[in-house]
């Protein structure tokens, strides 16, 4: 977008000032739609006089320091009070809610995972076998093909296509059934569903970590250290919970493989019927304390 606007604004381009202005507005809107708020704001600042809109975009992107700098640099200190500070306060409240939500979800899923792992996987497989429909479907298909064996080659080719289609349908049905069972409480796939959900929560914590630090710096700057201290304490407790249970969650997964309608344990199985081989990859964990602001401890 930078090159496009630079070429449009260059002498001899044939673009008037109004067309360049309109193009910048369109480019900024597109960048904003893709959550590229820093670029969207820069587009406005460089090619329009829409300072208020640019600062609002920086606030949407949680670019607090740049929003403040831009407000003063453009002679719009009033935007700090009308746009930046309300954004910081709203972000503080929303972040606190996010931390509480993630912590509750993480604790609930870990507790359920403990209950699931208390039941030997082989026992769960015996109680709830996965049904394989391919045998019935294929036997019906073979019967149909034999009935038409005296017909022309065209009919024989059609029966082959029917058999191929039946196999694809059967495979699709089995995959859909497993996806349905995966999240069902008490199913043999519940463990992998829980581990996958926990991995996503860990990723959310890791991504949120630098955002919490930047928000807390902004809160301190505007005499809201008490809010920042509360956020840091709550987030530190969440990180501690993730680090305390993370290894157990991802290092002690159990694996199931469906083969001919049967569920088998794969890998080295211990006395509890558990496999040491992980089914899902272990996510990157958040840092324990490098993100903290020492003044808030």
């Amino acid at each position: 977008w930078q090159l496009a606007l630079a070429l449009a604004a260059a002498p001899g381009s044939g673009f008037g000032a109004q067309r360049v202005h309109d193009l910048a507005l369109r480019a900024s809107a597109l960048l904003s739609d893709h959550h590229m708020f820093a670029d969207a704001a820069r587009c406005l600042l460089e090619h329009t006089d829409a300072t208020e809109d640019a600062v609002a975009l920086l606030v949407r992107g949680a670019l607090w320091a740049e929003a403040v700098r831009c407000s003063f640099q453009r002679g719009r200190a009033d935007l700090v009070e009308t746009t930046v500070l309300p954004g910081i306060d709203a972000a503080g409240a929303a972040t606190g809610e996010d931390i509480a939500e993630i912590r509750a979800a993480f604790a609930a899923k870990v507790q359920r995972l403990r209950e699931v792992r208390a039941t030997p996987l082989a026992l769960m497989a015996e109680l709830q076998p996965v049904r394989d429909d391919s045998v019935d479907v294929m036997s019906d298909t073979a019967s149909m093909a034999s009935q038409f064996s005296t017909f022309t080659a065209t009919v024989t080719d059609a029966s082959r296509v029917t058999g191929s289609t039946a196999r694809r349908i059967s495979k699709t049905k089995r995959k859909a059934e497993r996806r349905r069972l995966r999240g069902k409480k008490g199913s043999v796939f519940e463990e992998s569903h829980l581990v996958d959900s926990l991995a996503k929560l860990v990723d959310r914590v890791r991504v949120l970590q630098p955002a919490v630090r930047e928000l807390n710096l902004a809160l301190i700057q505007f005499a809201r250290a008490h809010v920042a201290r509360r956020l840091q304490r709550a987030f530190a407790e969440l990180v501690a919970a993730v680090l305390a249970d993370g290894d157990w969650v991802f290092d002690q997964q159990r694996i199931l493989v469906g083969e001919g309608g049967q569920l088998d344990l794969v890998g080295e199985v211990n006395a509890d019927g558990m496999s040491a081989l992980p089914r899902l990859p272990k996510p990157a964990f958040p840092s324990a304390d490098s993100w903290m602001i020492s003044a808030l401890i």
Side-chain angles (χ1 to χ4, degrees):
W1 68 266
Q2 292 171 287
L3 178 60
L5 286 173
L7 292 174
S13 66
F15 280 73
Q18 185 60 47
R19 289 188 66 187
V20 173
H21 179 276
D22 294 342
L23 182 61
L25 293 179
R26 290 172 57 193
S28 178
L30 287 172
L31 291 166
S32 176
D33 289 342
H34 288 81
H35 291 199
M36 301 172 66
F37 297 114
D39 283 343
R42 183 179 174 185
C43 186
L44 294 181
L45 293 171
E46 291 183 357
H47 299 281
T48 75
D49 57 357
T51 301
E52 186 170 347
D53 291 337
V55 171
L57 286 169
L58 293 171
V59 169
R60 285 183 62 190
L63 302 166
W64 314 115
E66 182 61 17
V68 173
R69 187 199 70 79
C70 179
S71 298
F72 283 105
Q73 192 267 335
R74 290 299 183 105
R76 293 294 308 274
D78 59 296
L79 293 177
V80 174
E81 293 293 334
T82 61
T83 304
V84 180
L85 279 179
I88 291 174
D89 289 336
T95 301
E97 293 175 359
D98 287 345
I99 292 172
E101 174 196 339
I102 296 173
R103 186 174 183 186
F106 189 86
K109 291 182 184 300
V110 168
Q111 177 57 36
R112 177 55 189 164
L113 185 58
R114 294 188 189 281
E115 296 171 1
V116 170
R117 286 182 175 172
T119 303
L121 199 56
L123 177 59
M124 295 176 66
E126 291 176 3
L127 294 176
Q128 294 184 323
V130 173
R131 188 165 60 93
D132 190 336
D133 296 329
S134 61
V135 176
D136 294 337
V137 173
M138 289 305 298
S139 61
D140 290 343
T141 303
S143 176
M144 291 170 60
S146 64
Q147 291 175 23
F148 290 96
S149 61
T150 58
F151 279 29
T152 63
T154 302
V155 176
T156 303
D157 290 340
S159 70
R160 289 173 183 162
V161 173
T162 303
S164 177
T165 302
R167 284 192 294 272
R168 288 198 300 271
I169 293 174
S170 177
K171 185 176 181 180
T172 301
K173 287 175 62 179
R174 292 198 305 273
K175 286 185 176 180
E177 179 68 3
R178 288 198 181 179
R179 283 195 296 269
R180 186 185 70 78
L181 286 173
R182 180 163 294 182
K184 184 178 179 181
K185 186 174 182 179
S187 75
V188 290
F189 296 105
E190 184 183 5
E191 178 174 338
S192 62
H193 172 77
L194 289 168
V195 172
D196 183 57
S197 297
L198 286 164
K200 292 176 181 177
L201 289 175
V202 171
D203 284 339
R204 284 183 64 185
V205 174
R206 181 174 50 81
V207 171
L208 189 59
Q209 198 165 59
V212 170
R213 177 180 173 83
E214 292 302 316
L215 175 60
N216 282 345
L217 288 172
L219 287 166
I220 293 172
Q221 181 181 358
F222 292 101
R224 288 160 170 76
H226 62 289
V227 178
R229 185 172 290 105
R230 183 168 64 248
L231 284 179
Q232 179 163 291
R233 185 182 302 114
F235 193 70
E237 292 172 353
L238 172 58
V239 170
V242 169
L243 296 179
D245 290 319
D247 288 338
W248 175 81
V249 169
F250 300 102
D251 291 345
Q252 298 189 37
Q253 297 178 58
R254 302 181 294 182
I255 301 177
L256 283 173
V257 173
E259 184 67 30
Q262 299 298 318
L263 287 170
D264 304 313
L265 289 171
V266 177
E268 184 180 351
V269 180
N270 61 26
D272 296 323
M274 299 175 64
S275 172
L277 296 176
R279 177 185 177 92
L280 297 170
K282 190 174 184 177
F285 288 169
S287 170
D289 53 19
S290 62
W291 58 278
M292 290 186 178
I293 300 173
S294 57
L296 299 175
I297 298 177

